[in-house]
């Protein structure tokens, strides 16, 4: 029996190392699905509830493995559904290949059912997108799309008309107008020029107050980051995607930076005289030193990201780990510990502030307490995912990363709905490790509840059943509510912000998972213990207080003025709002938890 185009695509992906595809079926991609079936599980197909979730899972697979993530859909609506997850991959610079069906070639241009111009639709999200036209073209499309995705940490898309998939595969002819491509790509080590390294070392050696900011590009360079910081007596702040790049158990790691950041990170950036940025595209320049305050050195493997957020004196185009290793012998050991001592004191004081805020009373449960109680219970090999929303504040600040922990979220796109598909992809990639997703009730209602069905479908195949979805149920789109109040100076707009109260733990039980419900802070610690020891996946639903403010590390005059304007206009929850804000502001100085 002749191999079809679909058979060749599956075989070629296998040769490229692909072992898992996330997707949803449809008649526009049936030729490839049949080939997957004939390949007898060489490549595992993970059936999701929605194509957007498949693209999120492909992005998460790339993040948690360093490999190419692959997703698949039919044409038309299925392909359109992929877009958000593909943009997530683009914004966070991870390699993803999407394979989408298309209307038959004979009907293209006829306003046919489910016919969309997919090459145009995907062109902004993808570095490479091409619709196949002939069997002999497909070999090149697979090889080129995979190589571009891997080499550029980008998105590639192959569009396959339905009738083409079932045709007999043909090798490209050896003649004018055809190309013959091959499999294979090895990422090079990118090392800056020695003269640039020497100039960078001079800047860092002359600095007296060195601050480091690390991001996702430093995830494979933890030892080198720590070694350089030790030599420079620097503190280390972390962008959200770089949360796992340095352990929070180190006394001079200041934690996250920015709107979700810590006061030690803010103070360090405002007071430093030298900035070393490693593998980060952190977007908010107002949280970096003022221009002219600090001399700058930046390391990034993507040259387009250099000097994008702060005008650097020396830009080093290179891989983080090898560049730091080459830089280390050129650095002088600093002997003045006063800067480092100040950072350590600020960090120590901040952890006490966070604990006092987490233990401040709330109605009924303080959302910070959810992550504060989880943190010491986390296994050293846990994988954490988080959604966009107010829960990201507590993920960023209250969870201490240590050991071999991994964590991620939708960073550059900051999309809602990523936490559960990220956690599912993490579990497939590392089936023996505990995985925990932190999710707001808004994202659960948007799309994450449906993906719990995917967990129910597959969890018995996992090496370990330890998979937890923790839902912060406050019946409010809380992050936006606080943005309305603090950034716009407007009261909460109940028509847009209030959402229904849904029993998420009971839904979990309906589909065969374990459900745990907490509405008393005294029960939270034991609930985490129960969830972490469960023999099946768990949905831990916590009834949290929406009036606990995610206080920024630094409250600007404009923010304070807007908050005052909110109160003057009359917020619908004004009484609870004032009490919640007061408890958080004064928690560090109140004599007791119940004050």
């Amino acid at each position: 029996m002749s191999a079809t185009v679909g058979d060749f695509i599956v075989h070629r992906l296998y040769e490229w190392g692909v072992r898992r595809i996330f997707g949803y079926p449809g008649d526009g991609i049936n030729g490839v699905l049949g080939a997957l079936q004939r390949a007898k599980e060489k490549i595992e197909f993970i059936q999701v509830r929605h194509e957007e979730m498949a693209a999120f899972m492909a992005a998460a697979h790339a993040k948690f493995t360093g490999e190419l993530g692959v997703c698949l859909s039919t044409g038309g609506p299925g392909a359109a559904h992929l877009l958000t997850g593909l943009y997530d991959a683009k914004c966070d610079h991870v390699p993803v290949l999407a394979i989408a069906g298309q209307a038959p070639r004979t009907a293209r241009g006829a306003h046919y059912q489910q016919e969309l111009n997919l090459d145009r639709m995907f062109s902004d999200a993808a570095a490479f997108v091409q619709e196949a036209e002939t069997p002999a073209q497909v070999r090149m499309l697979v090889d080129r799309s995979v190589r571009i995705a891997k080499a550029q940490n980008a998105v590639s898309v192959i569009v396959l008309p339905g009738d083409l998939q079932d045709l007999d595969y043909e090798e490209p002819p050896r003649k004018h107008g055809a190309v013959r491509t091959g499999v294979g790509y090895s990422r090079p080590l990118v090392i800056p020029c020695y003269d640039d390294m020497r100039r960078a070392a001079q800047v860092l050696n002359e600095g007296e107050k060195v601050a480091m900011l690390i991001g996702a590009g430093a995830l494979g360079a933890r030892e080198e980051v720590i070694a350089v910081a030790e030599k420079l007596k620097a503190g280390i702040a972390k962008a959200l995607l770089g949360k796992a790049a340095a352990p929070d158990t180190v006394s001079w790691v200041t934690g996250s930076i920015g709107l979700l950041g810590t006061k030690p990170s803010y103070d360090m950036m405002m007071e430093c005289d030298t900035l070393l940025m490693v593998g980060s595209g952190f977007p908010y320049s107002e949280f970096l030193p003022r221009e002219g305050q600090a001399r700058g050195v930046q390391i990034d493997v993507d040259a387009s990201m250099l000097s994008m957020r702060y005008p650097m004196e020396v830009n080093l185009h290179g891989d983080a780990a090898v560049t730091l290793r080459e830089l280390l012998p050129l650095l002088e050991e600093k002997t003045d510990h006063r800067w480092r001592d100040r950072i350590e004191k600020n960090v120590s004081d901040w952890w006490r502030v966070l604990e006092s805020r987490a233990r401040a009373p709330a109605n009924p449960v303080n959302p910070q307490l959810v992550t504060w109680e989880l943190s010491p219970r986390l296994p050293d090999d846990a994988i954490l995912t988080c959604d966009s929303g107010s829960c990201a504040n507590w993920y960023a600040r209250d969870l201490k990363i240590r050991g071999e922990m991994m964590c991620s979220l939708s960073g550059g796109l900051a999309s809602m709905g990523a936490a559960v598909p990220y956690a599912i992809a993490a579990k497939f990639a590392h089936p023996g490790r505990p995985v925990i997703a932190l999710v707001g009730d808004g994202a659960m209602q948007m799309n994450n509840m449906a993906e719990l069905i995917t967990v129910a479908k597959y969890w018995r195949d996992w090496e370990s059943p330890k998979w937890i979805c923790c839902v912060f149920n406050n019946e409010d789109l809380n992050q936006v509510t606080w943005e309305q109040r603090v950034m716009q100076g407007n009261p909460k707009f109940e028509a847009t912000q209030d959402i229904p109260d849904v029993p998420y733990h009971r839904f979990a039980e309906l589909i065969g998972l374990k459900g745990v419900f907490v509405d008393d802070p005294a029960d939270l610690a034991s609930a985490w213990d129960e969830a972490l020891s469960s023999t099946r996946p768990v949905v831990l639903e916590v009834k949290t207080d929406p009036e606990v403010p995610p206080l920024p590390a630094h409250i600007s005059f404009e923010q304070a003025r807007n908050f005052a304007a909110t109160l003057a206009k009359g917020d619908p929850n004004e009484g609870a709002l004032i009490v919640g804000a007061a408890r958080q502001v004064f928690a560090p100085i109140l004599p007791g938890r119940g004050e």
Side-chain angles (χ1 to χ4, degrees):
M1 182 177 177
S2 299
T4 67
V5 168
D7 290 322
F8 174 81
I9 289 170
V10 171
H11 174 71
R12 200 64 162 186
L13 289 173
Y14 185 85
E15 288 188 308
W16 271 101
V18 174
R19 298 295 181 268
R20 182 174 297 117
I21 295 175
F22 303 94
Y24 199 80
D27 64 345
I29 199 68
N30 269 343
V32 173
L33 298 180
L36 282 168
Q37 185 178 28
R38 289 189 293 275
K40 301 187 185 302
E41 300 181 355
K42 273 187 166 183
I43 297 179
E44 181 182 23
F45 183 83
I46 306 302
Q47 181 205 74
V48 301
R49 304 311 105 200
H50 191 282
E51 293 89 351
E52 181 181 331
M53 303 293 101
F56 273 134
M57 290 181 200
H61 177 88
K63 289 184 177 186
F64 290 125
T65 66
E67 302 168 354
L68 177 74
V70 183
C71 55
L72 174 148
S73 78
T74 188
H81 288 159
L82 292 173
L83 265 177
T84 301
L86 296 183
Y87 269 113
D88 183 52
K90 175 188 177 177
C91 291
D92 286 351
H93 309 280
V94 292
V96 167
L97 170 65
I99 301 169
Q102 177 58 290
R105 292 171 298 166
T106 51
R108 293 289 281 115
H111 191 59
Y112 200 69
Q113 186 180 32
Q114 296 192 336
E115 180 196 6
L116 301 177
N117 286 319
L118 297 182
D119 53 344
R120 297 183 198 174
M121 187 183 78
F122 286 121
S123 61
D124 184 57
F128 176 83
V129 54
Q130 187 66 48
E131 182 171 331
E133 298 179 7
T134 68
Q137 180 193 18
V138 170
R139 172 171 150 186
M140 177 273 293
L141 291 183
V142 175
D143 292 344
R144 185 158 163 74
S145 63
V146 172
R147 188 173 287 110
I148 287 174
K150 284 174 168 279
Q152 299 182 19
N153 284 325
V155 174
S156 288
V157 181
I158 301 175
V159 180
L160 297 171
D163 58 333
L164 179 70
Q165 299 167 36
D166 289 319
L167 293 181
D168 288 346
Y169 172 71
E170 299 172 12
E171 289 287 354
R174 188 176 179 271
K175 67 177 185 180
H176 187 73
V179 295
R180 302 173 72 86
T181 56
V183 170
Y185 173 77
S186 297
R187 185 175 298 280
L189 280 179
V190 183
I191 306 175
C193 298
Y194 178 78
D195 286 347
D196 291 334
M197 301 279 277
R198 186 174 46 78
R199 289 195 302 119
Q202 182 178 353
V203 170
L204 297 170
N205 288 334
E206 291 174 358
E208 296 180 357
K209 299 177 179 179
V210 182
M212 292 179 67
L213 172 58
I214 61 175
L219 285 172
R222 178 185 287 193
E223 291 183 7
E224 292 82 1
V225 165
I226 296 296
V228 167
E230 280 282 28
K231 210 164 189 181
L232 296 173
K233 299 299 178 284
I236 299 175
K238 302 186 289 186
L240 265 186
L241 290 175
K243 184 172 175 65
D248 292 302
T249 50
V250 174
S251 60
W252 32 266
V253 170
T254 61
S256 56
I257 187 173
L259 293 167
L260 280 59
T262 71
K263 190 173 186 301
S265 291
Y266 182 84
D267 291 344
M268 180 175 69
M269 290 295 162
M270 295 303 106
E271 298 169 12
C272 70
D273 63 16
T274 310
L275 173 64
L276 173 57
M277 188 182 297
V278 183
S280 175
F282 172 72
Y284 303 125
S285 58
E286 67 269 27
F287 291 94
L288 298 178
R290 293 176 179 85
E291 187 171 350
Q293 169 195 322
R295 302 173 73 184
V297 174
Q298 185 175 357
I299 300 168
D300 207 294
V301 73
D302 182 351
S304 70
M305 299 302 295
L306 294 169
S307 270
M308 271 268 286
R309 311 303 189 204
Y310 190 82
M312 298 294 176
E313 188 169 332
V314 183
N315 293 288
L316 298 177
H317 181 198
D319 291 288
V322 67
T323 302
L324 291 171
R325 280 198 300 270
E326 294 295 319
L327 186 63
L328 194 59
L330 304 177
L331 299 177
E332 299 169 359
E333 183 91 32
K334 296 194 186 296
T335 57
D336 188 339
H337 288 249
R338 287 176 295 176
W339 171 245
R340 169 66 69 77
D341 291 344
R342 174 171 170 75
I343 291 171
E344 288 183 315
K345 182 181 185 303
N346 288 346
V347 171
S348 177
D349 291 346
W350 177 250
W351 283 117
R352 284 194 287 271
V353 168
L354 286 181
E355 181 173 16
S356 62
R357 288 182 178 176
R359 298 197 182 283
N363 181 28
V365 179
N366 187 328
Q368 294 163 106
L369 190 63
V370 179
T371 44
W372 188 264
E373 290 288 3
L374 168 63
S375 189
R377 292 172 167 81
L378 283 170
D380 284 354
D381 63 344
I383 302 176
L384 296 149
T385 70
C386 184
D387 218 275
S388 296
S390 60
C391 62
N393 292 276
W394 325 130
Y395 160 88
R397 297 175 188 168
D398 293 300
L399 292 176
K400 289 187 178 182
I401 296 299
R402 62 183 184 280
E404 300 302 315
M405 291 181 189
M406 303 170 74
C407 55
S408 196
L409 74 177
S410 176
L413 189 62
S415 174
M416 289 175 66
V420 168
Y422 266 40
I424 292 171
K427 194 65 175 178
F428 277 109
H430 304 282
R433 297 176 66 166
V435 177
I436 300 161
L438 304 175
V439 194
D441 49 357
M444 288 299 290
Q445 294 182 22
M446 180 179 284
N447 49 29
N448 278 191
M449 281 183 76
E451 283 312 310
L452 293 178
I453 300 171
T454 303
V455 177
K457 176 180 172 72
Y458 289 106
W459 73 267
R460 291 173 182 83
D461 298 332
W462 296 336
E463 179 183 335
S464 164
K466 287 184 171 39
W467 189 96
I468 302 169
C469 174
C470 177
V471 184
F472 294 71
N473 181 358
N474 54 27
E475 302 176 50
D476 182 43
L477 297 175
N478 199 237
Q479 186 75 6
V480 176
T481 294
W482 284 102
E483 288 167 349
Q484 289 176 348
R485 290 165 169 166
V486 177
M487 293 184 171
Q488 302 300 127
N490 291 326
K492 175 182 175 178
F493 185 24
E494 291 175 296
T496 67
Q497 300 311 108
D498 286 347
I499 60 176
D501 184 12
V502 174
Y504 306 97
H505 69 291
R506 288 171 56 194
F507 176 76
E509 292 167 348
L510 282 173
I511 60 173
L513 308 182
K514 183 179 180 65
V516 178
F517 180 73
V518 175
D519 61 358
D520 184 337
D523 298 332
L524 194 53
S526 60
W528 274 121
D529 291 336
E530 182 181 358
L532 287 164
S533 61
S534 175
T535 56
R536 64 178 56 217
V538 177
V539 172
L540 170 58
E541 178 185 352
V542 185
K543 199 70 177 171
T544 55
D545 188 346
E547 304 308 333
V548 174
L551 293 176
H554 171 75
I555 300 175
S556 68
F557 172 76
E558 183 180 5
Q559 289 169 334
R561 183 181 61 190
N562 288 340
F563 186 63
T566 295
L567 297 178
K569 294 173 183 176
D571 192 273
N573 298 333
E574 185 172 302
L577 168 62
I578 294 172
V579 171
R583 282 171 172 167
Q584 289 301 298
V585 170
F586 297 112
I589 59 175
L590 291 175
R593 179 178 172 183
E595 295 294 325

